[in-house]
Amino acid sequence: MPSSKIVNEQEVIYWIEEGRTYKWIVEEYRRKYNIETTISMWGNLRRRRGIDTRIVHDEDLIPWQVEERHRWAYPAVMLRAAGRRRAGREIGGEYSSRLDTWLRARAEDDTVVHYDPDTDEGWFYVPRRPGVDTDLIRVPDGKAARGGEDS
């Protein structure tokens, strides 16, 4: 039987739980270990290890079409972690305590997350607008407080 291509399974499980895409893992394995893998290989590992699918789409928290270059910025990672928690999913590794700290900072600063794809940074913390920004994000222009289109 051929030996496994997986150099460090715990590392990959951490990446999966962190929310990294299978495409990212394939590229990282190529870069880090010079080993060619496939997307289905990582999906099979996730399924064999009983790891829930990691994708939770919470459009109340990330209603924007996020540019590739901004997807792994800290505010985006924290919004995805908040979405996972709200959906009753586990948050891997130290992300649970990071999320708690991040949520406390938003409450203490009374700030919300704003996304502007036309900037290099993409993500910003801005003052909460009372009665408008009722969750973790700056409600995008043209959206009602609940995330639906204004009429």
Side-chain angles (χ1 to χ4, degrees), residues 75-95:
V77 171
M78 290 295 99
L79 288 171
R80 285 193 298 272
R84 285 183 60 80
R85 182 178 281 170
R86 288 179 181 183
R89 297 284 187 80
E90 284 192 35
I91 302 171
E94 72 243 17
Y95 279 88

Side-chain angles (χ1 to χ4, degrees), residues 22-148:
Y22 297 140
K23 180 181 176 194
W24 184 92
I25 295 170
V26 166
E27 291 168 0
E28 184 66 3
Y29 247 63
R30 183 180 306 119
R31 183 196 68 76
K32 189 172 183 179
Y33 299 114
N34 198 29
I35 296 175
E36 292 295 326
T37 62
T38 63
I39 289 172
S40 62
M41 177 180 150
W42 302 118
N44 290 336
L45 172 71
R46 179 202 50 80
R47 192 174 51 259
R48 278 194 317 270
R49 296 297 177 251
I51 301 168
D52 287 337
T53 55
R54 62 197 181 278
I55 297 173
V56 172
H57 295 286
D58 189 331
E59 291 187 14
D60 289 334
L61 293 178
I62 304 181
W64 312 277
Q65 183 67 36
V66 178
E67 300 272 329
E68 179 72 34
R69 64 192 171 128
H70 298 141
R71 288 196 181 140
W72 294 105
Y74 198 68
V77 171
M78 290 295 99
L79 288 171
R80 285 193 298 272
R84 285 183 60 80
R85 182 178 281 170
R86 288 179 181 183
R89 297 284 187 80
E90 284 192 35
I91 302 171
E94 72 243 17
Y95 279 88
S96 184
S97 63
R98 284 185 183 182
L99 177 60
D100 292 340
T101 300
W102 185 81
L103 291 170
R104 264 193 313 280
R106 302 291 62 78
E108 289 169 5
D109 298 344
D110 202 25
T111 57
V112 293
V113 177
H114 172 67
Y115 178 64
D116 184 348
D118 297 326
T119 62
D120 288 337
E121 299 84 4
W123 300 96
F124 303 91
Y125 298 114
V126 297
R128 177 182 309 279
R129 297 175 295 182
V132 178
D133 301 322
T134 59
D135 202 351
L136 296 173
I137 67 165
R138 166 68 48 101
V139 175
D141 292 338
K143 297 278 185 179
R146 299 299 295 162

